[in-house]
Amino acid sequence: MAKTKWIIEPGTLTIYPKRNLRIVGLIFFVLIAAFIFYLFTSLQGYSAGFTFGYYGFLLLIPLLLVFIAETKIVFDGNNRILYKKIGFLPTGSIPFDDIASVQAYEVLGSGFNYRLFRKSNRHGKGLIVSNGYSKASNPNLIQFQQEVLPKIDELVFANAPVIPKQTIYDFRFFKEEGNIYLLRDNKLGSLIFALIFIGATVAILLNPGFMANENAFKRIFLSYLPAAIGLGLLFAATSNVRFDKDQKKIIRSTFAGRVVKEYPFDDLIRFQIIRKTTNFIYSGTEVRAEILLPAKNKTTTLILKNFTGTKKIERFLDEANTILGRI
């Protein structure tokens, strides 16, 4: 199946990220046409207006897919503007000066694609500039990385001014205690629900007649399930993360400090930005720290913070990098 297509010219780059929909649309067109032929020969008695209207609606679906397949992203190096079009219809534009980056965007469980992110919301949904890929060894992906990404760098970023990050002194996401920075996190809701769930199990155990007529497995399962959920919430409510500049370590403690794990600053590889969806609906963005475990020769991830939006993420990362000494 066709993948990402592009046309490279001296001052212009045109990318067709959805050209594979052409084939999908044509396949649907053939199937729907065959279905319409079956209905036309098998069903009688309906008015001509209704029949042709219904057939036209069915054929509109594959034609719409073919039209969307003509989506193109045009990097106009002469005017320093990105244009997005569907066929001949313009649907938006972005000045080059508002483009923050073009990078791989992982979709959990379904591969990744390349997206363009704006400076005004560099951790948002982004603009898709490539087809989706399931393997890094895909030949079309390798060619995209070798030809398209360097051209984007040449057109967009080669002459862009470099604005250094500013050191932060007024922290919003960390509570400063000397050289220890405690990550702020509202745990009250988790604590309240933890106590409610644990209390539900206590109430059940104090009621000997609860589900007395049910089998033992179901009775035990439903009796202790609330407690298990409550303990999980209690675990979250009594956890904290702090950055210790004196020891140069990220320290995570749970169960009010009874379990402590320490990770040196130097073992922090990068921050991961994970966009979460539930039933294809955006449900928040999670910031994680990817950390190397030299003794085990593997990596682990530490969840730092959840955001309901994306515009404050860059500020959070700037604060964390300031503490780490990377700004």
Side-chain angles (χ1 to χ4, degrees):
M1 181 177 290
K3 285 290 186 179
T4 312
K5 301 291 185 181
W6 58 85
I7 300 173
I8 297 177
E9 299 172 293
T12 307
L13 169 65
T14 304
I15 304 175
Y16 297 88
K18 299 181 180 180
R19 271 290 174 86
N20 63 317
L21 289 180
R22 271 184 176 181
I23 297 176
V24 176
L26 291 173
I27 293 172
F28 269 92
F29 182 84
V30 172
L31 293 175
I32 290 176
F35 179 63
I36 289 174
F37 178 77
Y38 167 77
L39 293 179
F40 182 77
T41 57
S42 302
L43 301 179
Q44 304 293 332
Y46 292 96
S47 66
F50 173 81
T51 301
F52 285 108
Y54 180 64
Y55 293 164
F57 173 76
L58 290 178
L59 288 174
L60 187 63
I61 298 173
L63 293 177
L64 182 62
L65 289 174
V66 172
F67 182 66
I68 293 175
E70 297 307 310
T71 297
K72 59 183 176 181
I73 310 296
V74 181
F75 291 84
D76 185 344
N78 297 320
N79 296 311
R80 291 190 58 79
I81 295 178
L82 177 150
Y83 299 99
K84 181 182 178 183
K85 300 180 180 181
I86 300 181
F88 57 88
L89 298 177
T91 59
S93 63
I94 304 174
F96 281 5
D97 292 338
D98 191 29
I99 298 176
S101 64
V102 175
Q103 60 192 53
Y105 181 93
E106 182 179 357
V107 182
L108 293 179
S110 58
F112 64 95
N113 54 29
Y114 274 87
R115 300 193 183 194
L116 180 147
F117 298 92
R118 306 179 66 150
K119 291 179 180 177
S120 55
N121 191 11
R122 65 187 304 152
H123 301 290
K125 187 177 181 179
L127 174 66
I128 297 173
V129 296
S130 83
N131 210 310
Y133 301 97
S134 59
K135 296 180 180 180
S137 59
N138 185 291
N140 182 256
L141 170 62
I142 295 172
Q143 190 178 5
F144 181 89
Q145 293 169 333
Q146 293 175 344
E147 297 180 11
V148 177
L149 295 184
K151 188 64 178 181
I152 293 175
D153 287 338
E154 174 192 329
L155 294 174
V156 179
F157 303 114
N159 298 317
V162 178
I163 302 175
K165 291 282 189 179
Q166 298 295 316
T167 302
I168 293 175
Y169 299 99
D170 179 23
F171 293 91
R172 301 174 188 171
F173 296 99
F174 293 87
K175 182 180 179 182
E176 189 175 357
E177 300 173 347
N179 273 340
I180 296 177
Y181 294 80
L182 180 66
L183 181 60
R184 298 179 187 271
D185 201 358
N186 188 356
K187 309 281 189 173
L188 183 59
S190 296
L191 183 60
I192 291 174
F193 279 105
L195 295 176
I196 290 173
F197 279 109
I198 293 173
T201 291
V202 172
I204 290 172
L205 295 178
L206 292 176
N207 181 12
F210 176 75
M211 298 184 69
N213 297 326
E214 301 292 341
N215 63 64
F217 173 78
K218 182 182 291 187
R219 187 170 65 252
I220 293 172
F221 178 76
L222 294 177
S223 296
Y224 290 98
L225 178 62
I229 297 173
L231 288 174
L233 293 171
L234 188 63
F235 177 85
T238 58
S239 302
N240 66 63
V241 176
R242 59 188 187 273
F243 288 49
D244 189 328
K245 290 185 69 173
D246 289 333
Q247 298 186 62
K248 294 188 179 300
K249 289 182 178 180
I250 301 173
I251 303 171
R252 175 179 175 81
S253 63
T254 54
F255 290 119
R258 296 182 182 276
V259 180
V260 177
K261 292 186 177 181
E262 300 180 350
Y263 309 98
F265 283 0
D266 291 341
D267 290 343
L268 174 61
I269 300 171
R270 65 186 177 108
F271 293 108
Q272 297 177 340
I273 313 300
I274 308 297
R275 187 179 179 89
K276 299 184 295 183
T277 58
T278 303
N279 296 326
F280 303 103
I281 299 174
Y282 173 70
S283 58
T285 301
E286 195 172 76
V287 179
R288 304 176 183 177
E290 183 180 356
I291 299 171
L292 175 66
L293 302 177
K296 298 181 180 180
N297 194 29
K298 65 178 184 179
T299 61
T300 187
T301 55
L302 177 64
I303 298 174
L304 297 178
K305 196 165 184 66
N306 287 285
F307 291 85
T308 54
T310 57
K311 294 188 176 180
K312 295 181 180 179
I313 294 177
E314 191 65 18
R315 169 73 187 201
F316 172 77
L317 295 176
D318 288 346
E319 291 187 14
N321 283 316
T322 295
I323 298 168
L324 293 167
R326 297 182 176 183
I327 295 180

